[in-house]
mmCIF file with all atom_site columns, all heavy atoms in Angstrom:
data_model
loop_
_atom_site.group_PDB
_atom_site.id
_atom_site.type_symbol
_atom_site.label_atom_id
_atom_site.label_alt_id
_atom_site.label_comp_id
_atom_site.label_asym_id
_atom_site.label_entity_id
_atom_site.label_seq_id
_atom_site.pdbx_PDB_ins_code
_atom_site.Cartn_x
_atom_site.Cartn_y
_atom_site.Cartn_z
_atom_site.occupancy
_atom_site.B_iso_or_equiv
_atom_site.pdbx_formal_charge
_atom_site.auth_seq_id
_atom_site.auth_comp_id
_atom_site.auth_asym_id
_atom_site.auth_atom_id
_atom_site.pdbx_PDB_model_num
ATOM 1   N N   . TYR A 1 276 ? 48.174 138.913 52.566 1.00 91.00 ? 297 TYR A N   1
ATOM 2   C CA  . TYR A 1 276 ? 49.084 137.906 52.052 1.00 91.00 ? 297 TYR A CA  1
ATOM 3   C C   . TYR A 1 276 ? 49.351 136.814 53.093 1.00 91.00 ? 297 TYR A C   1
ATOM 4   O O   . TYR A 1 276 ? 49.632 135.672 52.770 1.00 91.00 ? 297 TYR A O   1
ATOM 5   C CB  . TYR A 1 276 ? 50.365 138.637 51.656 1.00 91.00 ? 297 TYR A CB  1
ATOM 6   C CG  . TYR A 1 276 ? 51.495 137.783 51.219 1.00 91.00 ? 297 TYR A CG  1
ATOM 7   C CD1 . TYR A 1 276 ? 51.528 137.238 49.931 1.00 91.00 ? 297 TYR A CD1 1
ATOM 8   C CD2 . TYR A 1 276 ? 52.567 137.535 52.079 1.00 91.00 ? 297 TYR A CD2 1
ATOM 9   C CE1 . TYR A 1 276 ? 52.586 136.468 49.529 1.00 91.00 ? 297 TYR A CE1 1
ATOM 10  C CE2 . TYR A 1 276 ? 53.631 136.764 51.681 1.00 91.00 ? 297 TYR A CE2 1
ATOM 11  C CZ  . TYR A 1 276 ? 53.640 136.227 50.409 1.00 91.00 ? 297 TYR A CZ  1
ATOM 12  O OH  . TYR A 1 276 ? 54.694 135.458 50.014 1.00 91.00 ? 297 TYR A OH  1
ATOM 13  N N   . LEU A 1 277 ? 49.237 137.200 54.380 1.00 92.00 ? 298 LEU A N   1
ATOM 14  C CA  . LEU A 1 277 ? 49.622 136.280 55.454 1.00 92.00 ? 298 LEU A CA  1
ATOM 15  C C   . LEU A 1 277 ? 48.452 135.754 56.273 1.00 92.00 ? 298 LEU A C   1
ATOM 16  O O   . LEU A 1 277 ? 48.565 134.699 56.898 1.00 92.00 ? 298 LEU A O   1
ATOM 17  C CB  . LEU A 1 277 ? 50.589 136.984 56.433 1.00 92.00 ? 298 LEU A CB  1
ATOM 18  C CG  . LEU A 1 277 ? 51.931 137.459 55.898 1.00 92.00 ? 298 LEU A CG  1
ATOM 19  C CD1 . LEU A 1 277 ? 52.705 138.168 57.006 1.00 92.00 ? 298 LEU A CD1 1
ATOM 20  C CD2 . LEU A 1 277 ? 52.748 136.288 55.368 1.00 92.00 ? 298 LEU A CD2 1
ATOM 21  N N   . ALA A 1 278 ? 47.360 136.499 56.351 1.00 94.00 ? 299 ALA A N   1
ATOM 22  C CA  . ALA A 1 278 ? 46.301 136.135 57.303 1.00 94.00 ? 299 ALA A CA  1
ATOM 23  C C   . ALA A 1 278 ? 45.265 135.214 56.668 1.00 94.00 ? 299 ALA A C   1
ATOM 24  O O   . ALA A 1 278 ? 44.992 135.282 55.470 1.00 94.00 ? 299 ALA A O   1
ATOM 25  C CB  . ALA A 1 278 ? 45.633 137.383 57.853 1.00 94.00 ? 299 ALA A CB  1
ATOM 26  N N   . THR A 1 279 ? 44.685 134.359 57.490 1.00 96.00 ? 300 THR A N   1
ATOM 27  C CA  . THR A 1 279 ? 43.640 133.420 57.066 1.00 96.00 ? 300 THR A CA  1
ATOM 28  C C   . THR A 1 279 ? 42.393 133.696 57.907 1.00 96.00 ? 300 THR A C   1
ATOM 29  O O   . THR A 1 279 ? 42.172 133.041 58.921 1.00 96.00 ? 300 THR A O   1
ATOM 30  C CB  . THR A 1 279 ? 44.112 131.963 57.297 1.00 96.00 ? 300 THR A CB  1
ATOM 31  O OG1 . THR A 1 279 ? 45.417 131.781 56.760 1.00 96.00 ? 300 THR A OG1 1
ATOM 32  C CG2 . THR A 1 279 ? 43.152 130.965 56.666 1.00 96.00 ? 300 THR A CG2 1
ATOM 33  N N   . PRO A 1 280 ? 41.578 134.678 57.504 1.00 94.00 ? 301 PRO A N   1
ATOM 34  C CA  . PRO A 1 280 ? 40.452 135.079 58.353 1.00 94.00 ? 301 PRO A CA  1
ATOM 35  C C   . PRO A 1 280 ? 39.465 133.951 58.627 1.00 94.00 ? 301 PRO A C   1
ATOM 36  O O   . PRO A 1 280 ? 38.723 134.010 59.599 1.00 94.00 ? 301 PRO A O   1
ATOM 37  C CB  . PRO A 1 280 ? 39.771 136.204 57.554 1.00 94.00 ? 301 PRO A CB  1
ATOM 38  C CG  . PRO A 1 280 ? 40.773 136.660 56.564 1.00 94.00 ? 301 PRO A CG  1
ATOM 39  C CD  . PRO A 1 280 ? 41.665 135.494 56.277 1.00 94.00 ? 301 PRO A CD  1
ATOM 40  N N   . GLU A 1 281 ? 39.480 132.922 57.777 1.00 95.00 ? 302 GLU A N   1
ATOM 41  C CA  . GLU A 1 281 ? 38.545 131.806 57.965 1.00 95.00 ? 302 GLU A CA  1
ATOM 42  C C   . GLU A 1 281 ? 39.048 130.809 59.012 1.00 95.00 ? 302 GLU A C   1
ATOM 43  O O   . GLU A 1 281 ? 38.366 129.828 59.302 1.00 95.00 ? 302 GLU A O   1
ATOM 44  C CB  . GLU A 1 281 ? 38.328 131.081 56.632 1.00 95.00 ? 302 GLU A CB  1
ATOM 45  C CG  . GLU A 1 281 ? 37.772 131.949 55.504 1.00 95.00 ? 302 GLU A CG  1
ATOM 46  C CD  . GLU A 1 281 ? 38.845 132.742 54.761 1.00 95.00 ? 302 GLU A CD  1
ATOM 47  O OE1 . GLU A 1 281 ? 40.044 132.646 55.145 1.00 95.00 ? 302 GLU A OE1 1
ATOM 48  O OE2 . GLU A 1 281 ? 38.491 133.466 53.803 1.00 95.00 ? 302 GLU A OE2 1
ATOM 49  N N   . ALA A 1 282 ? 40.265 131.022 59.535 1.00 97.00 ? 303 ALA A N   1
ATOM 50  C CA  . ALA A 1 282 ? 40.814 130.067 60.516 1.00 97.00 ? 303 ALA A CA  1
ATOM 51  C C   . ALA A 1 282 ? 39.919 130.015 61.750 1.00 97.00 ? 303 ALA A C   1
ATOM 52  O O   . ALA A 1 282 ? 39.352 131.022 62.160 1.00 97.00 ? 303 ALA A O   1
ATOM 53  C CB  . ALA A 1 282 ? 42.237 130.467 60.905 1.00 97.00 ? 303 ALA A CB  1
ATOM 54  N N   . GLN A 1 283 ? 39.782 128.822 62.318 1.00 97.00 ? 304 GLN A N   1
ATOM 55  C CA  . GLN A 1 283 ? 38.927 128.634 63.495 1.00 97.00 ? 304 GLN A CA  1
ATOM 56  C C   . GLN A 1 283 ? 39.763 128.204 64.689 1.00 97.00 ? 304 GLN A C   1
ATOM 57  O O   . GLN A 1 283 ? 40.709 127.428 64.545 1.00 97.00 ? 304 GLN A O   1
ATOM 58  C CB  . GLN A 1 283 ? 37.889 127.538 63.206 1.00 97.00 ? 304 GLN A CB  1
ATOM 59  C CG  . GLN A 1 283 ? 36.870 127.900 62.159 1.00 97.00 ? 304 GLN A CG  1
ATOM 60  C CD  . GLN A 1 283 ? 35.931 126.719 61.921 1.00 97.00 ? 304 GLN A CD  1
ATOM 61  O OE1 . GLN A 1 283 ? 36.194 125.874 61.073 1.00 97.00 ? 304 GLN A OE1 1
ATOM 62  N NE2 . GLN A 1 283 ? 34.861 126.648 62.706 1.00 97.00 ? 304 GLN A NE2 1
ATOM 63  N N   . TYR A 1 284 ? 39.349 128.646 65.857 1.00 97.00 ? 305 TYR A N   1
ATOM 64  C CA  . TYR A 1 284 ? 40.074 128.323 67.082 1.00 97.00 ? 305 TYR A CA  1
ATOM 65  C C   . TYR A 1 284 ? 39.516 127.047 67.702 1.00 97.00 ? 305 TYR A C   1
ATOM 66  O O   . TYR A 1 284 ? 38.320 126.958 67.979 1.00 97.00 ? 305 TYR A O   1
ATOM 67  C CB  . TYR A 1 284 ? 39.948 129.482 68.071 1.00 97.00 ? 305 TYR A CB  1
ATOM 68  C CG  . TYR A 1 284 ? 40.770 129.305 69.320 1.00 97.00 ? 305 TYR A CG  1
ATOM 69  C CD1 . TYR A 1 284 ? 42.156 129.381 69.251 1.00 97.00 ? 305 TYR A CD1 1
ATOM 70  C CD2 . TYR A 1 284 ? 40.180 129.057 70.552 1.00 97.00 ? 305 TYR A CD2 1
ATOM 71  C CE1 . TYR A 1 284 ? 42.939 129.215 70.381 1.00 97.00 ? 305 TYR A CE1 1
ATOM 72  C CE2 . TYR A 1 284 ? 40.948 128.892 71.694 1.00 97.00 ? 305 TYR A CE2 1
ATOM 73  C CZ  . TYR A 1 284 ? 42.325 128.969 71.599 1.00 97.00 ? 305 TYR A CZ  1
ATOM 74  O OH  . TYR A 1 284 ? 43.106 128.805 72.724 1.00 97.00 ? 305 TYR A OH  1
ATOM 75  N N   . ILE A 1 285 ? 40.374 126.061 67.926 1.00 98.00 ? 306 ILE A N   1
ATOM 76  C CA  . ILE A 1 285 ? 39.936 124.819 68.579 1.00 98.00 ? 306 ILE A CA  1
ATOM 77  C C   . ILE A 1 285 ? 39.957 124.974 70.098 1.00 98.00 ? 306 ILE A C   1
ATOM 78  O O   . ILE A 1 285 ? 38.986 124.678 70.788 1.00 98.00 ? 306 ILE A O   1
ATOM 79  C CB  . ILE A 1 285 ? 40.871 123.643 68.206 1.00 98.00 ? 306 ILE A CB  1
ATOM 80  C CG1 . ILE A 1 285 ? 40.723 123.295 66.737 1.00 98.00 ? 306 ILE A CG1 1
ATOM 81  C CG2 . ILE A 1 285 ? 40.578 122.446 69.095 1.00 98.00 ? 306 ILE A CG2 1
ATOM 82  C CD1 . ILE A 1 285 ? 41.523 122.085 66.321 1.00 98.00 ? 306 ILE A CD1 1
ATOM 83  N N   . GLY A 1 286 ? 41.053 125.409 70.632 1.00 91.00 ? 307 GLY A N   1
ATOM 84  C CA  . GLY A 1 286 ? 41.239 125.475 72.079 1.00 91.00 ? 307 GLY A CA  1
ATOM 85  C C   . GLY A 1 286 ? 42.718 125.537 72.362 1.00 91.00 ? 307 GLY A C   1
ATOM 86  O O   . GLY A 1 286 ? 43.480 125.653 71.414 1.00 91.00 ? 307 GLY A O   1
ATOM 87  N N   . ILE A 1 287 ? 43.084 125.446 73.601 1.00 97.00 ? 308 ILE A N   1
ATOM 88  C CA  . ILE A 1 287 ? 42.335 125.179 74.813 1.00 97.00 ? 308 ILE A CA  1
ATOM 89  C C   . ILE A 1 287 ? 41.414 126.368 75.114 1.00 97.00 ? 308 ILE A C   1
ATOM 90  O O   . ILE A 1 287 ? 41.892 127.489 75.273 1.00 97.00 ? 308 ILE A O   1
ATOM 91  C CB  . ILE A 1 287 ? 43.301 124.995 76.005 1.00 97.00 ? 308 ILE A CB  1
ATOM 92  C CG1 . ILE A 1 287 ? 44.299 123.882 75.712 1.00 97.00 ? 308 ILE A CG1 1
ATOM 93  C CG2 . ILE A 1 287 ? 42.531 124.735 77.287 1.00 97.00 ? 308 ILE A CG2 1
ATOM 94  C CD1 . ILE A 1 287 ? 43.698 122.467 75.660 1.00 97.00 ? 308 ILE A CD1 1
ATOM 95  N N   . GLN A 1 288 ? 40.104 126.105 75.240 1.00 98.00 ? 309 GLN A N   1
ATOM 96  C CA  . GLN A 1 288 ? 39.158 127.153 75.578 1.00 98.00 ? 309 GLN A CA  1
ATOM 97  C C   . GLN A 1 288 ? 38.999 127.229 77.096 1.00 98.00 ? 309 GLN A C   1
ATOM 98  O O   . GLN A 1 288 ? 39.042 126.198 77.768 1.00 98.00 ? 309 GLN A O   1
ATOM 99  C CB  . GLN A 1 288 ? 37.778 126.825 75.010 1.00 98.00 ? 309 GLN A CB  1
ATOM 100 C CG  . GLN A 1 288 ? 37.751 126.357 73.574 1.00 98.00 ? 309 GLN A CG  1
ATOM 101 C CD  . GLN A 1 288 ? 36.350 125.879 73.185 1.00 98.00 ? 309 GLN A CD  1
ATOM 102 O OE1 . GLN A 1 288 ? 35.585 126.647 72.633 1.00 98.00 ? 309 GLN A OE1 1
ATOM 103 N NE2 . GLN A 1 288 ? 36.028 124.635 73.486 1.00 98.00 ? 309 GLN A NE2 1
ATOM 104 N N   . PRO A 1 289 ? 38.747 128.406 77.616 1.00 97.00 ? 310 PRO A N   1
ATOM 105 C CA  . PRO A 1 289 ? 38.461 128.482 79.052 1.00 97.00 ? 310 PRO A CA  1
ATOM 106 C C   . PRO A 1 289 ? 37.363 127.491 79.467 1.00 97.00 ? 310 PRO A C   1
ATOM 107 O O   . PRO A 1 289 ? 37.451 126.883 80.533 1.00 97.00 ? 310 PRO A O   1
ATOM 108 C CB  . PRO A 1 289 ? 38.054 129.946 79.230 1.00 97.00 ? 310 PRO A CB  1
ATOM 109 C CG  . PRO A 1 289 ? 38.874 130.660 78.212 1.00 97.00 ? 310 PRO A CG  1
ATOM 110 C CD  . PRO A 1 289 ? 38.896 129.737 77.021 1.00 97.00 ? 310 PRO A CD  1
ATOM 111 N N   . GLU A 1 290 ? 36.380 127.270 78.609 1.00 97.00 ? 311 GLU A N   1
ATOM 112 C CA  . GLU A 1 290 ? 35.344 126.309 79.025 1.00 97.00 ? 311 GLU A CA  1
ATOM 113 C C   . GLU A 1 290 ? 35.866 124.878 79.098 1.00 97.00 ? 311 GLU A C   1
ATOM 114 O O   . GLU A 1 290 ? 35.332 124.064 79.846 1.00 97.00 ? 311 GLU A O   1
ATOM 115 C CB  . GLU A 1 290 ? 34.082 126.407 78.150 1.00 97.00 ? 311 GLU A CB  1
ATOM 116 C CG  . GLU A 1 290 ? 34.249 125.939 76.725 1.00 97.00 ? 311 GLU A CG  1
ATOM 117 C CD  . GLU A 1 290 ? 32.905 125.971 75.965 1.00 97.00 ? 311 GLU A CD  1
ATOM 118 O OE1 . GLU A 1 290 ? 32.600 127.036 75.398 1.00 97.00 ? 311 GLU A OE1 1
ATOM 119 O OE2 . GLU A 1 290 ? 32.187 124.959 75.955 1.00 97.00 ? 311 GLU A OE2 1
ATOM 120 N N   . ASP A 1 291 ? 36.951 124.582 78.341 1.00 97.00 ? 312 ASP A N   1
ATOM 121 C CA  . ASP A 1 291 ? 37.565 123.249 78.453 1.00 97.00 ? 312 ASP A CA  1
ATOM 122 C C   . ASP A 1 291 ? 38.199 123.066 79.827 1.00 97.00 ? 312 ASP A C   1
ATOM 123 O O   . ASP A 1 291 ? 38.204 121.970 80.379 1.00 97.00 ? 312 ASP A O   1
ATOM 124 C CB  . ASP A 1 291 ? 38.670 123.064 77.400 1.00 97.00 ? 312 ASP A CB  1
ATOM 125 C CG  . ASP A 1 291 ? 38.144 123.172 75.983 1.00 97.00 ? 312 ASP A CG  1
ATOM 126 O OD1 . ASP A 1 291 ? 36.975 122.824 75.755 1.00 97.00 ? 312 ASP A OD1 1
ATOM 127 O OD2 . ASP A 1 291 ? 38.916 123.620 75.103 1.00 97.00 ? 312 ASP A OD2 1
ATOM 128 N N   . ILE A 1 292 ? 38.770 124.171 80.335 1.00 96.00 ? 313 ILE A N   1
ATOM 129 C CA  . ILE A 1 292 ? 39.411 124.110 81.661 1.00 96.00 ? 313 ILE A CA  1
ATOM 130 C C   . ILE A 1 292 ? 38.379 123.659 82.691 1.00 96.00 ? 313 ILE A C   1
ATOM 131 O O   . ILE A 1 292 ? 38.657 122.806 83.541 1.00 96.00 ? 313 ILE A O   1
ATOM 132 C CB  . ILE A 1 292 ? 40.000 125.491 82.040 1.00 96.00 ? 313 ILE A CB  1
ATOM 133 C CG1 . ILE A 1 292 ? 41.093 125.888 81.039 1.00 96.00 ? 313 ILE A CG1 1
ATOM 134 C CG2 . ILE A 1 292 ? 40.526 125.483 83.468 1.00 96.00 ? 313 ILE A CG2 1
ATOM 135 C CD1 . ILE A 1 292 ? 41.658 127.289 81.237 1.00 96.00 ? 313 ILE A CD1 1
ATOM 136 N N   . VAL A 1 293 ? 37.176 124.216 82.560 1.00 96.00 ? 314 VAL A N   1
ATOM 137 C CA  . VAL A 1 293 ? 36.094 123.871 83.486 1.00 96.00 ? 314 VAL A CA  1
ATOM 138 C C   . VAL A 1 293 ? 35.564 122.463 83.182 1.00 96.00 ? 314 VAL A C   1
ATOM 139 O O   . VAL A 1 293 ? 35.518 121.594 84.059 1.00 96.00 ? 314 VAL A O   1
ATOM 140 C CB  . VAL A 1 293 ? 34.946 124.904 83.375 1.00 96.00 ? 314 VAL A CB  1
ATOM 141 C CG1 . VAL A 1 293 ? 33.808 124.520 84.316 1.00 96.00 ? 314 VAL A CG1 1
ATOM 142 C CG2 . VAL A 1 293 ? 35.464 126.308 83.675 1.00 96.00 ? 314 VAL A CG2 1
#
Side-chain angles (χ1 to χ4, degrees):
Chain A
Y297 174 78
L298 298 178
T300 311
E302 301 84 358
Q304 293 178 270
Y305 185 70
I306 292 185
I308 303 291
Q309 314 172 95
E311 69 175 88
D312 299 330
I313 298 175
V314 179

